[in-house]
Amino acid sequence: MMNKRSEFDVEINDTKGTPFIDNAKISARNVEVFYEKKQAIFNTSIDIGKNQIVAMIGPSGCGKSTFLRCLNRMNDTIQSCQIRGEIKLDNEDIYARQQDPVLLRARVGMVFQKPNPFSKSIYDNVAYGAKLHGLTSNQVELDDLVEKSLMRAGLFNEVKDDLHKPGTGLSGGQQQRLCIARTIAIDPEVILMDEPTSALDPIATAVIEELMIELSKKYTIVIVTHSMQQAARVSQRTAYFHMGHLIEVNDTNTVFTNPEHQLTENYITGRFG
Amino acid sequence: MSFSVTVIVLFALLLLGYFVGRKRSIYVSKNNTKPLHSLPQYYGYLVALWSCLPALLVLLVWTALNSSVISSMTISYFPEQVQQLSKDDLSLLVNEIINLSESKEVLQDSMKQAVVSKYLHLVELSQQLKVGVVFILAFVGMFIGFRLIKPHTRARNLVEKLVRWTMVACASIAVLTTIGIVFSVVFEAHQFFKSVSISEFVFGAHWSPQGAIREGQVGGSGSFGALPLFVGTLLISFIALLIAVPLGLMSAIYLSEYATDKFRAFAKPMLEILAGIPTVVYGFFAALTVAPFIRDMGESLGLQPASESALAAGIVMGVMIIPFVSSLSDDIICAVPQAMRDGSYAMGATKSETIRQVIIPAALPGIVGGVLLAASRAIGETMIVVMAAGLFANLTLNPLQAVTTVTVQIVTLLTGDQEFDSPKTLAAFALGLGLFLTTLLLNTISLYMVRKYREQYE
């Protein structure tokens, strides 16, 4: 027991590795998040590079999902949640007073842990965002956009004859790709993925991972995952969170082969978490 | 020993049976190499149930059949020639005997006196026999239960099985009651349709159920066209829904999506209190406040509203059913998964866009179910309409006119002194049947909708 305690007492005030890079798409500085009195994120700073996939790993309840939801201000929908610090998207403070969170979320899309298609047809699920933001001016353009988005999400061939059937009738993996299609239909700059494959079987997971790599050519992707293999397979950089602290950020390879911090090493070698 | 004392003693035996059974099973399990199948309290339950249930059942059946068996036996004590009398006269005679036996006077009529004493003897005997049989059964039951405390008796499973049958019995009481009510209504309505044709009842536009008071009275034959009543009912219910659906739905959306938790905790019970106000209170609110207000408003607009109007009744009824719509819709909107909201917000939708385009469509079947439930409530409502809409059967769609509804007419048909086999009285059952079919249809549709809704997120 004493031994375990000392593991947690390791110095965790500074983030190890290389949290800062040039040409960052998103740069977070000194972010702290509180739920009422309880602090969920401590003094976290990290850069997320353009067209990169950044994986966030760590034990349950370590704050990685909370941090992810700061990046598109989804935490605003939780009344008790308070955020301090600074997050910049293309050098623009997303928490600035003049920022409209609704417009921000159109630029920073999000895919959730559990596939959450709306109870509408497949077509309407994908067309939803485009209709909201007036991205198309007529039906032909909209049809085109829906087809293209489904195509890029690798779902079109499976559903092209069933576009007007309910999206909730698809299998789990198909639903998740539908949610990805829905997200890329509004052409965001960043896509946040919160454990996008944790509810899926290995085959559906493999399809989505391929899709992520394909999408990263065009979008910046931040993914939260519980699977270290997944982080290793898809991401260029990996961030390790522990109890609300960002412990270490580095190239994925370095994190998994040569972690600097004791906690990171414990986690990736499976000693806890 | 009276019925209640017998039941109390049986209850005491139940407790005794439990403790004896429990004690015995603990003893048996200690002195036996093979362990008992169940825990001691299950053997306790088993002994308790054996000692109480058969006895209780016999007691109930005996009590239920007692009077009819005794009366038929009483009849057999009458002399031959009396037994030739008609059934009605015989039952009158039996009633007389019962009354006489209670008064305990010595009678002049020796024949009757003899029967009365025999009757009293019979009652006494039945009472003693009943108590005797019940207690013998109780003790025999307890003994059987006691003997059952053996390792291979699956007391736990037996008790479980009994619990299941108890549930079945409870459920069947509700179901049988429903069936009974339906049958009695159908039977009486059938009687009614012997004298009035179905097509006249359903499509006739004239309702005037007053029959002839004296022989050969002009225009006193009564006419039973129920169309104005059903139109009146639907008109008032429609007005009520027109009020309740927008108000209820909007308040549900506000409460579930916008209101803070604190306000919601205060406002939702307040809204639900509306459903707890007795309808008669709504009734005088309608008659004394809303109806005069509408009359004055109508007059100032140059219309000629009746002092009692469909509009007044409809508005108040609408207020009454707001909680049905709002509370059910609120529950259903809250049941839409948060993930679906998050999905919409993450697409850059505002709160109202999310509500209009994602939440309401997802919750719609459930909301429709709630609205239909409110509608069947409105259709069955009586008190408000009696007080605010009037009694005159008027075939009109003008909400400013006085109309009457099916329920109100049922009340007026069955109150006061009536011959029970006249078409006027039986018409109430035909109306009841019509009303029942209407609400049954609505409830079926709403249940179907709710069920369909339930399957949606899986």
Side-chain angles (χ1 to χ4, degrees), chain A:
Chain A
M1 199 63 212
M2 285 310 290
N3 197 10
K4 196 124 199 187
R5 182 117 214 120
S6 67
E7 280 175 7
F8 286 105
D9 286 341
V10 180
E11 175 70 36
I12 48 178
N13 286 331
D14 289 325
T15 302
K16 301 277 187 198
T18 53
F20 306 124
I21 57 168
D22 298 333
N23 297 324
K25 179 72 182 174
I26 298 175
S27 50
R29 293 294 178 271
N30 310 104
V31 175
E32 306 211 301
V33 180
F34 298 85
Y35 291 113
E36 308 222 313
K37 293 268 151 54
K38 190 178 170 289
Q39 189 163 4
I41 301 274
F42 299 83
N43 198 18
T44 293
S45 302
I46 184 173
D47 281 342
I48 290 157
K50 202 168 164 42
N51 292 11
Q52 273 194 335
I53 301 181
V54 176
M56 296 186 173
I57 59 172
S60 294
C62 68
K64 53 196 190 308
S65 285
T66 300
F67 183 72
L68 189 75
R69 289 165 65 96
C70 290
L71 301 181
N72 67 343
R73 295 186 64 172
M74 276 302 278
N75 283 333
D76 289 20
T77 59
I78 300 167
Q79 276 170 10
S80 61
C81 187
Q82 274 196 342
I83 295 145
R84 290 190 203 140
E86 185 186 67
I87 299 175
K88 283 184 168 169
L89 173 67
D90 287 338
N91 275 324
E92 205 184 305
D93 186 359
I94 64 169
Y95 280 93
R97 193 181 280 271
Q98 70 273 13
Q99 272 289 350
D100 181 357
V102 169
L103 293 180
L104 171 74
R105 287 181 206 137
R107 292 171 63 195
V108 184
M110 188 160 193
V111 175
F112 295 84
Q113 177 173 7
K114 207 169 156 238
N116 57 350
F118 305 129
S119 51
K120 300 171 179 291
S121 70
I122 293 169
Y123 182 95
D124 285 336
N125 260 288
V126 182
Y128 182 74
K131 282 183 188 162
L132 277 183
H133 302 294
L135 297 183
T136 54
S137 48
N138 58 45
Q139 191 63 38
V140 181
E141 277 181 42
L142 187 62
D143 289 349
D144 200 44
L145 177 72
V146 169
E147 185 180 328
K148 243 203 272 167
S149 307
L150 284 170
M151 200 90 87
R152 279 168 55 203
L155 189 62
F156 187 71
N157 287 327
E158 292 161 54
V159 300
K160 62 183 172 209
D161 299 325
D162 305 326
L163 286 181
H164 294 281
K165 289 192 181 159
T168 42
L170 297 174
S171 75
Q174 288 175 324
Q175 286 189 12
Q176 195 63 299
R177 277 180 283 152
L178 178 62
C179 292
I180 293 175
R182 178 175 88 182
T183 305
I184 57 186
I186 53 173
D187 202 25
E189 297 157 36
V190 181
I191 300 176
L192 310 176
M193 296 186 170
D194 191 353
E195 298 177 38
T197 59
S198 63
L200 305 180
D201 66 63
I203 295 169
T205 301
V207 174
I208 297 218
E209 284 179 6
E210 259 170 57
L211 180 59
M212 276 187 244
I213 293 166
E214 180 65 30
L215 289 175
S216 70
K217 290 175 188 159
K218 189 153 184 263
Y219 306 105
T220 304
I221 295 176
V222 185
I223 171 176
V224 165
T225 178
H226 269 298
S227 153
M228 282 176 275
Q229 290 89 333
Q230 181 167 65
R233 282 193 297 264
V234 299
S235 69
Q236 280 88 51
R237 279 163 32 95
T238 296
Y240 174 67
F241 280 80
H242 183 91
M243 297 181 76
H245 297 270
L246 178 55
I247 303 296
E248 180 163 355
V249 187
N250 224 327
D251 292 340
T252 299
N253 230 345
T254 317
V255 170
F256 283 107
T257 53
N258 191 17
E260 282 178 44
H261 201 289
Q262 185 63 40
L263 284 169
T264 317
E265 191 181 331
N266 288 349
Y267 184 71
I268 60 168
T269 53
R271 302 238 307 261
F272 68 85

Side-chain angles (χ1 to χ4, degrees), chain B residues 110-436:
Chain B
S110 64
M111 184 273 278
K112 276 185 186 163
Q113 180 60 55
V115 176
V116 165
S117 63
K118 276 181 180 163
Y119 170 80
L120 282 173
H121 176 70
L122 207 58
V123 170
E124 183 91 343
L125 188 71
S126 147
Q127 181 66 25
Q128 285 166 356
L129 261 180
K130 179 168 77 178
V131 172
V133 167
V134 163
F135 285 120
I136 287 169
L137 261 180
F139 283 108
V140 168
M142 198 183 272
F143 182 70
I144 294 175
F146 199 72
R147 289 292 305 273
L148 277 173
I149 304 175
K150 284 179 211 146
H152 62 82
T153 306
R154 299 181 174 184
R156 193 175 169 201
N157 306 24
L158 289 172
V159 171
E160 290 286 304
K161 207 180 264 177
L162 190 97
V163 167
R164 204 181 86 199
W165 282 107
T166 314
M167 307 279 176
V168 170
C170 292
S172 28
I173 285 172
V175 172
L176 289 178
T177 311
T178 313
I179 293 175
I181 290 176
V182 171
F183 268 95
S184 78
V185 169
V186 167
F187 179 74
E188 301 291 349
H190 177 70
Q191 294 287 316
F192 171 74
F193 287 125
K194 276 181 187 161
S195 53
V196 178
S197 75
I198 292 184
S199 65
E200 189 200 329
F201 178 73
V202 175
F203 298 111
H206 186 58
W207 177 262
S208 145
Q210 191 54 56
I213 291 169
R214 57 186 160 73
E215 211 65 31
Q217 186 183 1
V218 181
S221 59
S223 72
F224 295 94
L227 193 61
L229 309 186
F230 281 98
V231 169
T233 302
L234 292 180
L235 176 66
I236 289 179
S237 305
F238 180 71
I239 295 170
L241 287 179
L242 225 52
I243 302 280
V245 171
L247 281 176
L249 200 55
M250 295 290 177
S251 53
I253 291 172
Y254 176 73
L255 283 181
S256 58
E257 295 294 318
Y258 290 97
T260 57
D261 290 348
K262 236 181 181 171
F263 182 74
R264 183 182 146 89
F266 160 77
K268 208 180 171 202
M270 284 297 274
L271 252 177
E272 279 160 3
I273 284 175
L274 268 185
I277 297 176
T279 57
V280 71
V281 176
Y282 280 111
F284 54 70
F285 173 60
L288 301 181
T289 312
V290 178
F293 175 74
I294 286 170
R295 191 190 56 217
D296 295 347
M297 281 293 283
E299 271 167 2
S300 68
L301 290 172
L303 301 166
Q304 305 257 292
S307 61
E308 294 177 315
S309 61
L311 191 60
I315 289 173
V316 175
M317 203 188 276
V319 173
M320 182 190 83
I321 59 177
I322 284 175
F324 287 84
V325 179
S326 74
S327 195
L328 279 169
S329 307
D330 178 64
D331 291 346
I332 283 154
I333 290 172
C334 285
V336 174
Q338 181 63 30
M340 225 180 247
R341 289 185 185 92
D342 284 350
S344 177
Y345 294 144
M347 303 284 294
T350 61
K351 198 154 195 167
S352 78
E353 284 165 343
T354 302
I355 291 167
R356 265 183 290 131
Q357 301 189 24
V358 176
I359 296 175
I360 297 292
L364 195 62
I367 292 173
V368 172
V371 168
L372 288 179
L373 209 63
S376 54
R377 182 69 209 255
I379 286 171
E381 173 50 37
T382 316
M383 226 43 232
I384 293 173
V385 198
V386 174
M387 296 170 88
L391 293 172
F392 178 56
N394 190 359
L395 183 58
T396 178
L397 286 177
N398 181 354
L400 295 176
Q401 297 267 309
V403 296
T404 192
T405 67
V406 178
T407 50
V408 170
Q409 286 307 313
I410 292 177
V411 170
T412 54
L413 288 174
L414 288 182
T415 44
D417 291 335
Q418 305 288 349
E419 278 178 89
F420 205 73
D421 50 359
S422 75
K424 183 182 166 185
T425 317
L426 290 173
F429 291 94
L431 288 177
L433 184 66
L435 204 59
F436 172 72

